[in-house]
mmCIF file of all heavy atoms in Angstrom:
data_model
loop_
_atom_site.group_PDB
_atom_site.id
_atom_site.type_symbol
_atom_site.label_atom_id
_atom_site.label_comp_id
_atom_site.label_asym_id
_atom_site.label_seq_id
_atom_site.Cartn_x
_atom_site.Cartn_y
_atom_site.Cartn_z
ATOM 1 N N MET A 136 -10.150 -45.959 -35.199
ATOM 2 C CA MET A 136 -8.820 -45.391 -35.286
ATOM 3 C C MET A 136 -7.858 -46.381 -35.909
ATOM 4 O O MET A 136 -7.672 -47.471 -35.374
ATOM 5 C CB MET A 136 -8.331 -44.966 -33.891
ATOM 6 C CG MET A 136 -9.277 -44.063 -33.138
ATOM 7 S SD MET A 136 -8.599 -43.429 -31.615
ATOM 8 C CE MET A 136 -8.387 -44.974 -30.702
ATOM 9 N N ASN A 137 -7.304 -46.016 -37.042
ATOM 10 C CA ASN A 137 -6.364 -46.869 -37.749
ATOM 11 C C ASN A 137 -5.006 -46.190 -37.848
ATOM 12 O O ASN A 137 -4.874 -44.986 -37.619
ATOM 13 C CB ASN A 137 -6.885 -47.185 -39.158
ATOM 14 C CG ASN A 137 -8.207 -47.918 -39.140
ATOM 15 O OD1 ASN A 137 -8.506 -48.712 -38.237
ATOM 16 N ND2 ASN A 137 -9.014 -47.655 -40.147
ATOM 17 N N SER A 138 -4.004 -46.984 -38.176
ATOM 18 C CA SER A 138 -2.635 -46.444 -38.357
ATOM 19 C C SER A 138 -2.216 -45.599 -37.171
ATOM 20 O O SER A 138 -1.712 -44.478 -37.342
ATOM 21 C CB SER A 138 -2.540 -45.661 -39.650
ATOM 22 O OG SER A 138 -2.877 -46.454 -40.761
ATOM 23 N N LEU A 139 -2.443 -46.105 -35.997
ATOM 24 C CA LEU A 139 -2.156 -45.335 -34.777
ATOM 25 C C LEU A 139 -0.647 -45.127 -34.602
ATOM 26 O O LEU A 139 0.158 -45.993 -35.005
ATOM 27 C CB LEU A 139 -2.732 -46.044 -33.568
ATOM 28 C CG LEU A 139 -4.247 -45.947 -33.445
ATOM 29 C CD1 LEU A 139 -4.805 -47.026 -32.515
ATOM 30 C CD2 LEU A 139 -4.670 -44.576 -32.970
ATOM 31 N N ASN A 140 -0.286 -43.984 -34.083
ATOM 32 C CA ASN A 140 1.106 -43.703 -33.773
ATOM 33 C C ASN A 140 1.187 -43.113 -32.349
ATOM 34 O O ASN A 140 0.170 -42.852 -31.706
ATOM 35 C CB ASN A 140 1.705 -42.752 -34.800
ATOM 36 C CG ASN A 140 0.965 -41.424 -34.883
ATOM 37 O OD1 ASN A 140 0.888 -40.686 -33.918
ATOM 38 N ND2 ASN A 140 0.423 -41.118 -36.068
ATOM 39 N N SER A 141 2.395 -42.928 -31.904
ATOM 40 C CA SER A 141 2.621 -42.514 -30.505
ATOM 41 C C SER A 141 1.947 -41.182 -30.186
ATOM 42 O O SER A 141 1.579 -40.933 -29.020
ATOM 43 C CB SER A 141 4.102 -42.459 -30.196
ATOM 44 O OG SER A 141 4.752 -41.527 -31.067
ATOM 45 N N GLU A 142 1.809 -40.329 -31.158
ATOM 46 C CA GLU A 142 1.177 -39.032 -30.921
ATOM 47 C C GLU A 142 -0.323 -39.136 -30.687
ATOM 48 O O GLU A 142 -0.955 -38.148 -30.316
ATOM 49 C CB GLU A 142 1.471 -38.090 -32.085
ATOM 50 C CG GLU A 142 2.952 -37.747 -32.218
ATOM 51 C CD GLU A 142 3.229 -36.696 -33.283
ATOM 52 O OE1 GLU A 142 2.315 -36.386 -34.072
ATOM 53 O OE2 GLU A 142 4.367 -36.196 -33.299
ATOM 54 N N ASP A 143 -0.897 -40.294 -30.922
ATOM 55 C CA ASP A 143 -2.313 -40.522 -30.641
ATOM 56 C C ASP A 143 -2.540 -40.925 -29.202
ATOM 57 O O ASP A 143 -3.698 -41.069 -28.771
ATOM 58 C CB ASP A 143 -2.868 -41.588 -31.581
ATOM 59 C CG ASP A 143 -2.809 -41.194 -33.049
ATOM 60 O OD1 ASP A 143 -3.141 -40.023 -33.352
ATOM 61 O OD2 ASP A 143 -2.424 -42.037 -33.880
ATOM 62 N N THR A 144 -1.475 -41.163 -28.468
ATOM 63 C CA THR A 144 -1.619 -41.530 -27.052
ATOM 64 C C THR A 144 -2.294 -40.396 -26.269
ATOM 65 O O THR A 144 -1.817 -39.264 -26.296
ATOM 66 C CB THR A 144 -0.239 -41.842 -26.436
ATOM 67 O OG1 THR A 144 0.275 -43.010 -27.062
ATOM 68 C CG2 THR A 144 -0.346 -42.087 -24.941
ATOM 69 N N ALA A 145 -3.407 -40.720 -25.639
ATOM 70 C CA ALA A 145 -4.172 -39.705 -24.924
ATOM 71 C C ALA A 145 -5.366 -40.380 -24.273
ATOM 72 O O ALA A 145 -5.651 -41.558 -24.506
ATOM 73 C CB ALA A 145 -4.678 -38.646 -25.900
ATOM 74 N N VAL A 146 -6.056 -39.599 -23.444
ATOM 75 C CA VAL A 146 -7.361 -40.017 -22.968
ATOM 76 C C VAL A 146 -8.393 -39.454 -23.924
ATOM 77 O O VAL A 146 -8.348 -38.251 -24.246
ATOM 78 C CB VAL A 146 -7.650 -39.526 -21.533
ATOM 79 C CG1 VAL A 146 -9.020 -39.990 -21.069
ATOM 80 C CG2 VAL A 146 -6.556 -40.018 -20.566
ATOM 81 N N TYR A 147 -9.271 -40.322 -24.393
ATOM 82 C CA TYR A 147 -10.275 -39.928 -25.379
ATOM 83 C C TYR A 147 -11.638 -39.796 -24.720
ATOM 84 O O TYR A 147 -12.051 -40.655 -23.920
ATOM 85 C CB TYR A 147 -10.330 -40.961 -26.512
ATOM 86 C CG TYR A 147 -9.169 -40.842 -27.460
ATOM 87 C CD1 TYR A 147 -7.891 -41.253 -27.067
ATOM 88 C CD2 TYR A 147 -9.329 -40.310 -28.734
ATOM 89 C CE1 TYR A 147 -6.807 -41.122 -27.933
ATOM 90 C CE2 TYR A 147 -8.245 -40.187 -29.611
ATOM 91 C CZ TYR A 147 -7.001 -40.590 -29.193
ATOM 92 O OH TYR A 147 -5.941 -40.458 -30.041
ATOM 93 N N TYR A 148 -12.316 -38.711 -25.072
ATOM 94 C CA TYR A 148 -13.624 -38.401 -24.508
ATOM 95 C C TYR A 148 -14.613 -38.116 -25.645
ATOM 96 O O TYR A 148 -14.203 -37.627 -26.700
ATOM 97 C CB TYR A 148 -13.578 -37.133 -23.647
ATOM 98 C CG TYR A 148 -12.586 -37.151 -22.524
ATOM 99 C CD1 TYR A 148 -11.269 -36.780 -22.740
ATOM 100 C CD2 TYR A 148 -12.991 -37.491 -21.227
ATOM 101 C CE1 TYR A 148 -10.361 -36.770 -21.680
ATOM 102 C CE2 TYR A 148 -12.085 -37.470 -20.184
ATOM 103 C CZ TYR A 148 -10.783 -37.105 -20.397
ATOM 104 O OH TYR A 148 -9.873 -37.079 -19.366
ATOM 105 N N CYS A 149 -15.876 -38.362 -25.419
ATOM 106 C CA CYS A 149 -16.888 -37.874 -26.341
ATOM 107 C C CYS A 149 -17.701 -36.784 -25.629
ATOM 108 O O CYS A 149 -17.763 -36.735 -24.398
ATOM 109 C CB CYS A 149 -17.787 -38.997 -26.817
ATOM 110 S SG CYS A 149 -18.962 -39.582 -25.613
ATOM 111 N N ASN A 150 -18.289 -35.918 -26.408
ATOM 112 C CA ASN A 150 -19.191 -34.923 -25.887
ATOM 113 C C ASN A 150 -19.889 -34.267 -27.074
ATOM 114 O O ASN A 150 -19.519 -34.486 -28.220
ATOM 115 C CB ASN A 150 -18.415 -33.849 -25.088
ATOM 116 C CG ASN A 150 -19.233 -33.250 -23.946
ATOM 117 O OD1 ASN A 150 -20.406 -32.936 -24.124
ATOM 118 N ND2 ASN A 150 -18.619 -33.136 -22.760
ATOM 119 N N ALA A 151 -20.889 -33.502 -26.772
ATOM 120 C CA ALA A 151 -21.508 -32.685 -27.803
ATOM 121 C C ALA A 151 -20.491 -31.619 -28.185
ATOM 122 O O ALA A 151 -19.505 -31.383 -27.501
ATOM 123 C CB ALA A 151 -22.826 -32.106 -27.321
ATOM 124 N N VAL A 152 -20.784 -30.930 -29.285
ATOM 125 C CA VAL A 152 -19.847 -29.910 -29.778
ATOM 126 C C VAL A 152 -20.345 -28.510 -29.452
ATOM 127 O O VAL A 152 -19.626 -27.692 -28.904
ATOM 128 C CB VAL A 152 -19.620 -30.081 -31.274
ATOM 129 C CG1 VAL A 152 -18.762 -28.939 -31.821
ATOM 130 C CG2 VAL A 152 -18.920 -31.417 -31.547
ATOM 131 N N ALA A 153 -21.592 -28.198 -29.793
ATOM 132 C CA ALA A 153 -22.104 -26.850 -29.582
ATOM 133 C C ALA A 153 -22.369 -26.590 -28.116
ATOM 134 O O ALA A 153 -22.324 -25.438 -27.662
ATOM 135 C CB ALA A 153 -23.373 -26.646 -30.394
ATOM 136 N N GLN A 154 -22.691 -27.613 -27.369
ATOM 137 C CA GLN A 154 -22.954 -27.485 -25.934
ATOM 138 C C GLN A 154 -22.216 -28.604 -25.210
ATOM 139 O O GLN A 154 -22.457 -29.767 -25.476
ATOM 140 C CB GLN A 154 -24.447 -27.594 -25.611
ATOM 141 C CG GLN A 154 -24.789 -27.544 -24.134
ATOM 142 C CD GLN A 154 -26.267 -27.622 -23.859
ATOM 143 O OE1 GLN A 154 -27.094 -27.528 -24.766
ATOM 144 N NE2 GLN A 154 -26.658 -27.787 -22.600
ATOM 145 N N ILE A 155 -21.293 -28.227 -24.333
ATOM 146 C CA ILE A 155 -20.495 -29.215 -23.635
ATOM 147 C C ILE A 155 -21.208 -29.641 -22.358
ATOM 148 O O ILE A 155 -21.572 -28.818 -21.518
ATOM 149 C CB ILE A 155 -19.102 -28.670 -23.291
ATOM 150 C CG1 ILE A 155 -18.351 -28.323 -24.586
ATOM 151 C CG2 ILE A 155 -18.318 -29.658 -22.453
ATOM 152 C CD1 ILE A 155 -18.074 -29.504 -25.493
ATOM 153 N N PHE A 156 -21.386 -30.954 -22.219
ATOM 154 C CA PHE A 156 -21.990 -31.547 -21.040
ATOM 155 C C PHE A 156 -20.863 -32.012 -20.079
ATOM 156 O O PHE A 156 -19.699 -32.032 -20.470
ATOM 157 C CB PHE A 156 -22.886 -32.704 -21.439
ATOM 158 C CG PHE A 156 -24.085 -32.270 -22.219
ATOM 159 C CD1 PHE A 156 -24.072 -32.208 -23.603
ATOM 160 C CD2 PHE A 156 -25.245 -31.889 -21.555
ATOM 161 C CE1 PHE A 156 -25.186 -31.787 -24.318
ATOM 162 C CE2 PHE A 156 -26.362 -31.460 -22.275
ATOM 163 C CZ PHE A 156 -26.318 -31.407 -23.649
ATOM 164 N N PRO A 157 -21.223 -32.386 -18.847
ATOM 165 C CA PRO A 157 -20.182 -32.892 -17.930
ATOM 166 C C PRO A 157 -19.435 -34.066 -18.561
ATOM 167 O O PRO A 157 -20.017 -34.973 -19.131
ATOM 168 C CB PRO A 157 -20.989 -33.341 -16.709
ATOM 169 C CG PRO A 157 -22.188 -32.441 -16.704
ATOM 170 C CD PRO A 157 -22.532 -32.251 -18.163
ATOM 171 N N TRP A 158 -18.124 -34.022 -18.466
ATOM 172 C CA TRP A 158 -17.290 -35.014 -19.121
ATOM 173 C C TRP A 158 -17.408 -36.369 -18.426
ATOM 174 O O TRP A 158 -17.544 -36.469 -17.218
ATOM 175 C CB TRP A 158 -15.823 -34.557 -19.096
ATOM 176 C CG TRP A 158 -15.578 -33.326 -19.892
ATOM 177 C CD1 TRP A 158 -15.561 -32.043 -19.430
ATOM 178 C CD2 TRP A 158 -15.369 -33.233 -21.324
ATOM 179 N NE1 TRP A 158 -15.340 -31.167 -20.457
ATOM 180 C CE2 TRP A 158 -15.203 -31.865 -21.637
ATOM 181 C CE3 TRP A 158 -15.275 -34.176 -22.333
ATOM 182 C CZ2 TRP A 158 -14.981 -31.415 -22.930
ATOM 183 C CZ3 TRP A 158 -15.035 -33.726 -23.620
ATOM 184 C CH2 TRP A 158 -14.900 -32.366 -23.929
ATOM 185 N N GLY A 159 -17.322 -37.402 -19.249
ATOM 186 C CA GLY A 159 -17.216 -38.744 -18.712
ATOM 187 C C GLY A 159 -15.816 -39.034 -18.236
ATOM 188 O O GLY A 159 -14.965 -38.143 -18.186
ATOM 189 N N GLN A 160 -15.552 -40.296 -17.947
ATOM 190 C CA GLN A 160 -14.242 -40.657 -17.423
ATOM 191 C C GLN A 160 -13.194 -40.821 -18.513
ATOM 192 O O GLN A 160 -12.000 -40.828 -18.264
ATOM 193 C CB GLN A 160 -14.334 -42.002 -16.638
ATOM 194 C CG GLN A 160 -14.295 -43.266 -17.461
ATOM 195 C CD GLN A 160 -15.567 -43.517 -18.266
ATOM 196 O OE1 GLN A 160 -16.583 -42.845 -18.080
ATOM 197 N NE2 GLN A 160 -15.517 -44.493 -19.157
ATOM 198 N N GLY A 161 -13.658 -40.887 -19.753
ATOM 199 C CA GLY A 161 -12.729 -41.072 -20.866
ATOM 200 C C GLY A 161 -12.224 -42.494 -20.948
ATOM 201 O O GLY A 161 -12.460 -43.332 -20.079
ATOM 202 N N THR A 162 -11.506 -42.747 -22.026
ATOM 203 C CA THR A 162 -10.888 -44.066 -22.216
ATOM 204 C C THR A 162 -9.441 -43.834 -22.661
ATOM 205 O O THR A 162 -9.215 -43.064 -23.581
ATOM 206 C CB THR A 162 -11.696 -44.946 -23.182
ATOM 207 O OG1 THR A 162 -11.146 -46.261 -23.208
ATOM 208 C CG2 THR A 162 -11.751 -44.356 -24.577
ATOM 209 N N GLN A 163 -8.534 -44.522 -22.022
ATOM 210 C CA GLN A 163 -7.101 -44.310 -22.296
ATOM 211 C C GLN A 163 -6.687 -45.085 -23.520
ATOM 212 O O GLN A 163 -6.948 -46.291 -23.633
ATOM 213 C CB GLN A 163 -6.267 -44.783 -21.107
ATOM 214 C CG GLN A 163 -4.767 -44.729 -21.311
ATOM 215 C CD GLN A 163 -4.232 -43.314 -21.363
ATOM 216 O OE1 GLN A 163 -4.538 -42.500 -20.499
ATOM 217 N NE2 GLN A 163 -3.411 -43.015 -22.372
ATOM 218 N N VAL A 164 -6.009 -44.405 -24.426
ATOM 219 C CA VAL A 164 -5.417 -45.022 -25.591
ATOM 220 C C VAL A 164 -3.899 -44.819 -25.494
ATOM 221 O O VAL A 164 -3.419 -43.672 -25.396
ATOM 222 C CB VAL A 164 -5.956 -44.421 -26.907
ATOM 223 C CG1 VAL A 164 -5.173 -44.956 -28.102
ATOM 224 C CG2 VAL A 164 -7.440 -44.739 -27.043
ATOM 225 N N THR A 165 -3.182 -45.903 -25.494
ATOM 226 C CA THR A 165 -1.722 -45.849 -25.427
ATOM 227 C C THR A 165 -1.142 -46.570 -26.626
ATOM 228 O O THR A 165 -1.445 -47.755 -26.839
ATOM 229 C CB THR A 165 -1.204 -46.474 -24.137
ATOM 230 O OG1 THR A 165 -1.765 -45.813 -23.005
ATOM 231 C CG2 THR A 165 0.323 -46.359 -24.047
ATOM 232 N N VAL A 166 -0.366 -45.855 -27.411
ATOM 233 C CA VAL A 166 0.262 -46.434 -28.582
ATOM 234 C C VAL A 166 1.743 -46.582 -28.288
ATOM 235 O O VAL A 166 2.466 -45.576 -28.155
ATOM 236 C CB VAL A 166 0.038 -45.576 -29.837
ATOM 237 C CG1 VAL A 166 0.614 -46.275 -31.069
ATOM 238 C CG2 VAL A 166 -1.453 -45.293 -30.030
ATOM 239 N N SER A 167 2.183 -47.805 -28.195
ATOM 240 C CA SER A 167 3.568 -48.055 -27.829
ATOM 241 C C SER A 167 3.986 -49.462 -28.247
ATOM 242 O O SER A 167 3.142 -50.388 -28.238
ATOM 243 C CB SER A 167 3.748 -47.891 -26.306
ATOM 244 O OG SER A 167 5.067 -48.251 -25.922
ATOM 245 N N SER A 168 5.243 -49.610 -28.588
ATOM 246 C CA SER A 168 5.777 -50.915 -28.922
ATOM 247 C C SER A 168 6.365 -51.583 -27.673
ATOM 248 O O SER A 168 6.844 -52.705 -27.743
ATOM 249 C CB SER A 168 6.797 -50.806 -30.026
ATOM 250 O OG SER A 168 7.830 -49.913 -29.652
#
């Protein structure tokens, strides 16, 4: 992730697309000065 801005602040998760598996805990991304 490059050129991050405040609107990218979120918890990010990975998963399959066609079949959703149980979600992991995610990783928090916070964009702030």
Side-chain angles (χ1 to χ4, degrees):
M136 306 187 297
N137 299 328
S138 301
L139 286 161
N140 59 60
S141 59
E142 295 186 348
D143 297 317
T144 294
V146 180
Y147 284 73
Y148 304 86
C149 74
N150 212 315
V152 174
Q154 178 179 350
I155 298 297
F156 293 92
W158 296 94
Q160 82 288 349
T162 187
Q163 174 71 49
V164 172
T165 302
V166 184
S167 175
S168 56

